[in-house]
Amino acid sequence: MSQEWDAGRLDSDLDGVAFDTLAVRAGQHRTPEGEHGDPMFFTSSYVFRTAADAAARFAGEVPGNVYSRYTNPTVRAFEERIAALEGAEQAVATATGMAAILAVVMSLCSAGDHVLVSRSVFGSTISLFEKYFKRFGIEVDYVPLADLSGWDAAIKANTRLLFVESPSNPLAELVDIAALAEVAHAKGTMLVVDNCFCTPALQQPLKLGADIVVHSATKFIDGQGRCMGGVVAGRSEQMKEVVGFLRTAGPTLSPFNAWIFLKGLETLSLRMKAHCANAQALAEWLEQQDGIEKVHYAGLKSHPQHALAQRQQRGFGAVVSFEVKGGKEGAWRFIDATRLISITANLGDSKTTITHPSTTSHGRLAPQEREAAGIRDSLIRVAVGLEDVADLQADLARGLAAL
């Protein structure tokens, strides 16, 4: 955007507005065209008025676009909207959710640093830490997610980050984020929270004391399974380092995907309420069915952290996991008997999906690693969409009949 252009009344006054208004309007800076919708800027580079102007922008002495690997107006609109929703000073978009985790560790950690990771994280997250970060000299240890004393005891003098998913994938385990942040800060380290399952519509970890939030925007932020992306949010001091990593390494979000995510954010709050309502109904129904050995969903009173979920979240999320009789064979028979629900490992879609974590999302982990994370062969994960819940129950009943 040219510094000579002042949108004035064309831009919305967002001072003091509520979350849902920010989700629709934050981050949009209208161009001289006066567009009402969010524009898409498909350009790899930008032109400058003078050689001095170009030099000043490349040096970071004046604000403005330089190259779309790390400065693009559409991507910036998405970043500003996420920052507003999470209560962050700044957000930085990435090509995928995994790229967001990569960017955090690569920009804030060095060889010899120590990172603590919860045992209850996505399988690819474990692979990233185990196969790649360790290779470059970063020490990694794992702690049970909810064990605050375990976190405290495991922090060392060189511990740089604590990394958690809360709720976790796929067992919906939680950690008291405010309490864990106190543990981290008392030892001089930072807390990073993967907020993918809740989104800022249900949980704002930064307001609970976390230092950095990461998302796979591919999931609920998009909401319709259309494209891939990620985002990191936190204080400008840390985000400056993340931007530097993107500028050099290039795991950048495309403008088109950023535009899709902007559209997704406009309906985020409405969708998450509907997802939660469907998931709650389905979890309560599953808990009453023969053939189901255990249901994992924080909205159930039987969940050991139900009270914590009520305290730190505004909803219980859309992911319901459950264990069936018959081990792996029983789980596969159950999944194969469904006819409506999509068999896929993605989640956050308007369409309900079903998967067998131990042979898909966590399949690359060693059996002992899966066992430590609580991923049993009998476990099935359902990411509940926006269909009529009676139809979802009828389809899962087909699975029950196959046990």
Side-chain angles (χ1 to χ4, degrees):
M1 183 71 68
S2 169
Q3 291 178 296
E4 297 179 5
W5 162 248
D6 181 5
R9 177 61 184 85
L10 292 180
D11 281 353
S12 299
D13 181 355
L14 300 179
D15 186 33
V17 303
F19 181 93
D20 288 352
T21 304
L22 291 173
V24 173
R25 292 185 177 270
Q28 183 173 10
H29 305 284
R30 291 188 172 89
T31 74
E33 300 295 339
E35 70 283 345
H36 189 231
D38 296 283
M40 287 185 276
F41 287 86
F42 293 132
T43 180
S44 59
S45 63
Y46 305 88
V47 296
F48 307 101
R49 296 180 182 276
T50 64
D53 178 32
R57 295 230 207 136
F58 269 82
E61 296 169 355
V62 298
N65 299 311
V66 178
Y67 191 62
S68 277
R69 186 170 65 242
Y70 63 103
T71 52
N72 179 275
T74 310
V75 175
R76 184 165 58 249
F78 169 62
E79 293 171 336
E80 291 183 5
R81 192 168 297 179
I82 286 289
L85 296 180
E86 285 286 9
E89 291 180 1
Q90 185 178 350
V92 182
T94 60
T96 65
M98 293 308 303
I101 299 171
L102 174 71
V104 168
V105 177
M106 293 296 290
S107 60
L108 299 179
C109 295
S110 301
D113 284 342
H114 178 236
V115 178
L116 286 175
V117 183
S118 67
R119 293 195 183 278
S120 306
V121 293
F122 179 47
S124 290
T125 301
I126 295 175
S127 295
L128 181 61
F129 280 97
E130 285 293 306
K131 293 181 63 178
Y132 300 103
F133 290 146
K134 281 188 174 181
R135 184 186 301 174
F136 291 95
I138 293 175
E139 300 175 28
V140 182
D141 287 308
Y142 299 89
V143 180
L145 177 59
D147 184 4
L148 293 174
S149 60
W151 286 102
D152 188 48
I155 294 175
K156 302 190 292 189
N158 62 333
T159 303
R160 179 69 169 156
L161 301 175
L162 310 186
F163 184 93
V164 302
E165 290 177 10
S166 185
S168 69
N169 179 16
L171 296 177
E173 293 179 282
L174 311 177
V175 67
D176 186 327
I177 294 173
L180 185 58
E182 289 183 5
V183 169
H185 298 158
K187 296 288 185 71
T189 188
M190 291 184 288
L191 174 60
V192 182
V193 177
D194 186 329
N195 198 30
C196 175
F197 272 30
C198 274
T199 80
L202 303 184
Q203 177 176 265
Q204 293 167 304
L206 299 179
K207 294 184 177 180
L208 295 171
D211 299 281
I212 295 171
V213 168
V214 298
H215 287 279
S216 171
T218 310
K219 310 302 190 294
F220 295 103
I221 288 175
D222 176 4
Q224 295 184 43
R226 295 167 292 192
C227 54
M228 305 186 77
V231 65
V232 184
R235 294 190 297 274
S236 296
E237 178 185 358
Q238 282 87 36
M239 296 307 102
K240 180 181 179 181
E241 297 299 321
V242 176
V243 171
F245 175 73
L246 260 68
R247 178 174 184 166
T248 303
T252 306
L253 182 66
S254 77
F256 179 78
N257 289 9
W259 185 84
I260 291 290
F261 296 148
L262 284 166
K263 299 298 102 182
L265 287 173
E266 291 181 2
T267 61
L268 177 65
S269 186
L270 290 170
R271 287 187 288 104
M272 293 310 294
K273 289 175 184 176
H275 280 297
C276 290
N278 273 2
Q280 184 73 37
L282 210 59
E284 292 175 358
W285 177 81
L286 282 165
E287 204 169 37
Q288 303 302 314
Q289 304 306 307
D290 293 335
I292 303 295
E293 296 186 326
K294 187 174 184 180
V295 180
H296 303 271
Y297 185 67
L300 297 174
K301 292 180 180 179
S302 59
H303 192 284
Q305 297 168 303
H306 177 67
L308 174 60
Q310 287 180 307
R311 187 167 72 248
Q312 74 180 15
Q313 298 173 198
R314 291 185 291 275
F316 301 111
V319 177
V320 179
S321 294
F322 52 95
E323 297 172 41
V324 299
K325 295 178 180 178
K328 172 185 169 182
E329 292 74 20
W332 279 21
R333 287 198 302 272
F334 186 109
I335 292 169
D336 290 348
T338 60
R339 289 294 178 267
L340 173 70
I341 298 171
S342 306
I343 303 175
T344 179
N346 193 37
L347 58 93
D349 202 312
S350 56
K351 302 178 182 70
T352 299
T353 67
I354 190 169
T355 192
H356 184 240
S358 72
T359 54
T360 57
S361 59
H362 293 70
R364 288 185 294 167
L365 302 183
Q368 63 270 24
E369 292 175 322
R370 288 198 297 272
E371 182 63 29
I375 310 299
R376 300 180 177 88
D377 285 345
S378 59
L379 186 71
I380 294 172
R381 189 193 74 189
V382 172
V384 184
L386 303 180
E387 303 95 339
D388 189 291
V389 72
D391 294 329
L392 297 177
Q393 291 172 347
D395 201 35
L396 293 179
R398 295 185 180 105
L400 287 165
L403 292 177

